[in-house]
């Protein structure tokens, strides 16, 4: 196989969404697996809707996911003159023509075709009029009037479209700007793209683009259209299903490796395996294993994958990520202190945002610890408060505050009082953490340290 060159070409009219991220991932894997090139192109010809902020967000998301590119980003807005030159080549070859039909006239043509039960399309009124360019003209391609446009889809197999179903679509608008299909074909030719993997919402564009390649006497790349992503109700994926941007998932506390792992499984499989690192994917990814049927977005599976990767993550790295999710009103935490907290939370947290919420009581100043009212009413009873007072005095006298010393001291206390551990366990937890659920009480106390534990016990008694 000659050098494989793929591309990802988002439009900066919004953040990078999960469908686009999956497309980028598939193209990145194909190029990397064949030691080819992966290009990034920003399709920003829609000047009104494109923004620099969205472009930066897309680039940041690509970097966060680990999808590096060999060339680019290329910006279509900087390539308008190149598109014009290619359009003129097609005109001069007799494969395109000037058209002065107004949008209203074109819509009337389509309405008449619908009334006759025909394909609604431009009628070709100006096709043979040999019009000259003018301020009110567009340029249209001469689509073949008969025959079929045929190609072998890398995912769906053989596809053919009757040319009679296609109209003479516009290449250049009245304002001189190129249309999407023209710009894409020119870019892919100039950049040497050999394989185009994209969502099957683009499948209707492919015959038009192949016609443009033929008009330019250039062999088209290989096309592959990956299946749509549906919600659990089998309807088009929307925000209520989880169709959020990559940025949103990052802000929610998902790890990039979890999102990459999940996205690749939306339309691709390898035996019965579910867990894949990027290194695994580079070794195992194959176009042969791309599915052709729609796949369902499963938020529970994404959460499961994220919890798996949180458990596996390096504590130092998690500490760095966690700082991005902490309450900004908290005092800046010491990294070493965070690294002691995180191992207690890794088995429990599904997202880093959840970890942040679980870690809050470790980080809040003692006098600002909020105790849940229901927990206080249930567990901070007069009897419990008396025990906590005595335990505070006991803890204050300890020379060491490690786990074994704490366990021994409290074991002696409950034996002396002839009570069960559960008599003091929840009152201690509520007084120290403000809640009824936390990591193990002794582990929690050890990390909080003696001074903070005594302070919190006494603060809770004075409320």
């Amino acid at each position: 196989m000659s050098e494989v060159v793929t591309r990802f070409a988002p439009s900066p009219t919004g953040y990078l969404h999960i469908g686009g991220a999956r497309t980028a991932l598939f193209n990145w894997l194909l190029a990397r697996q064949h030691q080819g090139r992966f290009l990034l192109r920003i399709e920003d010809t829609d000047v009104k809707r494109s923004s620099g902020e969205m472009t930066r967000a897309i680039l940041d998301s690509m970097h966060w996911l680990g999808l590096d590119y060999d060339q680019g980003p290329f910006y279509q807005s900087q390539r308008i003159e190149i598109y014009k030159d290619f359009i003129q080549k097609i005109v001069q070859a007799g494969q395109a023509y000037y058209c002065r039909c107004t949008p209203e006239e074109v819509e009337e043509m389509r309405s008449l075709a619908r009334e006759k039960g025909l394909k609604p399309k431009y009628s070709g009124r100006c096709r043979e009029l040999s019009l000259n360019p003018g301020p009110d003209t567009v340029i249209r391609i001469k689509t073949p009037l008969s025959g079929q446009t045929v190609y072998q889809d890398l995912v769906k197999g053989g596809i053919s479209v009757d040319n009679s179903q296609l109209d003479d679509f516009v290449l250049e608008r009245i304002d001189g700007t190129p249309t999407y299909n023209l710009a894409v074909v020119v870019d892919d030719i100039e950049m040497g793209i050999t394989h185009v993997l994209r969502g099957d919402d683009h499948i209707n564009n492919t015959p038009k683009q192949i016609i443009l390649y033929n008009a330019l006497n250039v062999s088209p790349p290989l096309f592959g259209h990956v299946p749509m992503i549906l919600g659990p109700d089998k309807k088009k994926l929307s925000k209520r299903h989880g169709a959020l941007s990559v940025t949103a998932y990052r802000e929610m506390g998902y790890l990039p490796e979890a999102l990459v792992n999940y996205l690749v499984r939306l339309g691709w499989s390898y035996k019965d395996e579910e867990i894949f690192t990027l290194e695994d994917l580079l070794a195992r990814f194959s176009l042969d294993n791309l599915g052709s049927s729609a796949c369902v977005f499963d938020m529970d599976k994404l959460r499961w994958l994220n919890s798996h990767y949180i458990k596996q993550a390096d504590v130092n790295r998690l500490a760095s990520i966690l700082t991005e999710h902490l309450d900004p009103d908290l005092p800046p935490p010491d990294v070493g202190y965070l690294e002691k907290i995180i191992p207690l939370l890794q088995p429990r947290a599904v997202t880093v945002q959840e970890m942040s919420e679980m870690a809050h009581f470790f980080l809040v100043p003692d006098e600002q610890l909020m105790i849940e009212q229901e927990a206080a009413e249930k567990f901070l009873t007069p009897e419990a408060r008396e025990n906590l007072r005595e335990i505070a005095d006991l803890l204050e006298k300890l020379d060491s505050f490690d786990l074994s010393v704490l366990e021994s001291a409290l074991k002696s206390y409950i034996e002396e009082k002839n009570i069960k551990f559960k008599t003091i366990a929840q009152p201690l937890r509520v007084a120290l953490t403000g809640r009824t659920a936390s990591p193990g009480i002794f582990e929690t106390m050890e990390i909080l340290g003696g001074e903070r534990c005594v302070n919190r016990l006494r603060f809770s008694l004075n409320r």
Side-chain angles (χ1 to χ4, degrees):
M1 181 185 291
S2 59
E3 183 186 34
V4 170
V5 184
T6 67
R7 47 76 164 177
F8 177 52
S11 174
T13 56
Y15 292 99
L16 178 61
H17 57 82
I18 58 169
R22 183 187 65 162
T23 297
L25 175 59
F26 285 160
N27 282 283
W28 183 88
L29 285 169
L30 182 61
R32 291 286 172 265
Q33 192 178 57
H34 292 279
Q35 291 77 50
R37 289 182 290 131
F38 174 61
L39 281 61
L40 179 63
R41 187 168 72 223
I42 304 297
E43 297 188 341
D44 59 347
T45 52
D46 188 342
V47 177
K48 290 182 179 179
R49 296 178 60 224
S50 298
S51 78
E53 178 189 355
M54 292 299 101
T55 299
R56 288 189 293 275
I58 290 169
L59 298 180
D60 287 346
S61 294
M62 294 280 288
H63 177 73
W64 183 71
L65 291 170
L67 304 181
D68 59 327
Y69 39 93
D70 302 293
Q71 291 177 268
F74 300 99
Y75 294 88
Q76 284 190 335
S77 60
Q78 299 172 7
R79 297 171 54 79
I80 300 299
E81 293 306 314
I82 297 173
Y83 305 138
K84 286 178 174 290
D85 288 345
F86 271 82
I87 290 169
Q88 285 306 309
K89 288 179 183 177
I90 299 173
V91 172
Q92 291 163 13
Q95 298 290 330
Y97 60 95
Y98 292 94
C99 169
R100 64 186 175 204
C101 297
T102 66
E104 292 76 18
E105 289 172 329
V106 174
E107 182 53 42
E108 185 178 353
M109 295 173 194
R110 290 170 176 161
S111 296
L112 289 172
R114 287 190 194 96
E115 291 175 7
K116 296 177 181 178
L118 302 175
K119 182 79 173 180
K121 62 178 186 176
Y122 174 67
S123 67
R125 179 190 293 171
C126 297
R127 185 176 174 120
E128 304 301 337
L129 296 184
S130 301
L131 298 175
N132 292 317
D136 58 348
T137 59
V138 300
I139 299 177
R140 292 181 180 274
I141 187 75
K142 284 186 176 180
T143 300
L145 298 176
S146 60
Q148 294 182 322
T149 296
V150 180
Y151 68 99
Q152 189 70 19
D153 193 284
L154 295 169
V155 179
K156 299 180 179 294
I159 293 179
S160 64
V161 176
D162 287 336
N163 292 329
S164 62
Q165 298 298 302
L166 305 174
D167 63 1
D168 291 353
F169 54 92
V170 174
L171 304 183
E172 185 177 287
R173 304 181 184 94
I174 286 178
D175 63 3
T177 59
T179 55
Y180 167 78
N181 283 309
L182 182 282
V184 166
V185 167
V186 170
D187 286 340
D188 285 348
I189 290 172
E190 288 235 308
M191 297 173 190
I193 303 302
T194 61
H195 294 70
V196 175
L197 294 179
R198 56 190 179 186
D200 61 10
D201 53 329
H202 280 284
I203 202 163
N204 290 334
N205 289 321
T206 305
K208 297 177 182 180
Q209 292 174 12
I210 291 174
I211 286 169
L212 281 172
Y213 278 102
N214 293 339
L216 290 163
N217 291 316
V218 177
S219 297
L222 299 175
F223 293 97
H225 295 88
V226 295
M228 292 287 285
I229 305 173
L230 304 178
D233 55 4
K234 304 299 175 67
K235 294 181 180 178
K236 184 178 179 180
L237 191 65
S238 65
K239 286 186 177 180
R240 64 190 173 88
H241 298 123
L244 306 174
S245 67
V246 170
T247 301
Y249 281 106
R250 181 178 183 178
E251 291 172 349
M252 289 160 61
Y254 286 85
L255 298 180
E257 56 266 41
L259 196 55
V260 164
N261 192 154
Y262 184 68
L263 290 177
V264 81
R265 291 287 288 109
L266 289 173
W268 176 85
S269 62
Y270 182 82
K271 300 180 180 178
D272 294 326
E273 295 183 26
E274 294 287 349
I275 307 293
F276 299 95
T277 64
L278 274 179
E279 292 73 21
D280 295 333
L281 292 172
L282 287 172
R284 299 170 186 174
F285 182 77
S286 166
L287 295 178
D288 295 337
N289 291 339
L290 285 174
S292 59
S293 56
C295 41
V296 175
F297 188 89
D298 185 344
M299 195 71 183
D300 288 338
K301 181 165 283 189
L302 174 56
R303 286 174 59 81
W304 174 78
L305 277 170
N306 204 59
S307 66
H308 166 80
Y309 282 105
I310 283 179
K311 291 182 181 74
Q312 302 293 318
D314 176 75
V315 169
N316 181 262
R317 175 179 171 237
L318 272 184
S320 176
I321 297 171
L322 181 58
T323 56
E324 301 174 9
H325 293 267
L326 294 176
D327 184 341
D329 294 331
L330 290 174
D334 176 75
V335 174
Y337 183 54
L338 276 185
E339 290 179 356
K340 292 178 182 178
I341 297 168
I342 286 171
L344 297 187
L345 306 181
Q346 281 178 284
R348 307 164 66 91
V350 172
T351 67
V352 181
Q353 184 58 39
E354 286 185 13
M355 183 178 285
S356 166
E357 293 162 5
M358 293 176 182
H360 186 273
F361 76 82
F362 280 109
L363 305 170
V364 68
D366 300 331
E367 66 277 9
Q368 295 176 22
L369 178 69
M370 301 297 295
I371 296 180
E372 296 171 355
Q373 183 175 345
E374 186 177 342
E377 291 173 353
K378 183 174 181 180
F379 293 107
L380 299 185
T381 62
E383 178 187 0
R385 292 165 69 85
E386 182 58 34
N387 285 326
L388 294 180
R389 184 175 290 106
E390 294 177 356
I391 290 172
D393 293 338
L394 171 65
L395 297 179
E396 196 169 34
K397 297 174 184 176
L398 294 178
D399 294 328
S400 171
F401 215 74
D402 62 35
L403 203 62
S404 59
V405 171
L406 285 171
E407 290 177 339
S408 177
L410 287 176
K411 180 181 179 183
S412 297
Y413 178 80
I414 62 176
E415 288 175 352
E416 178 187 334
K417 292 293 183 179
N418 195 27
I419 56 177
K420 294 184 178 180
F421 178 65
K422 67 178 182 180
T423 304
I424 63 168
Q426 281 299 75
L428 264 176
R429 179 173 278 109
V430 171
L432 294 173
T433 71
R435 56 188 73 172
T436 57
S438 76
I441 190 62
F442 293 117
E443 292 83 356
T444 297
M445 292 173 69
E446 182 182 37
I447 288 176
L448 284 171
E451 183 179 352
R452 300 193 75 182
C453 285
V454 171
N455 284 345
R456 291 187 178 197
L457 289 176
R458 291 192 169 143
F459 277 128
S460 69
L461 294 170
N462 291 330
R463 289 174 177 172

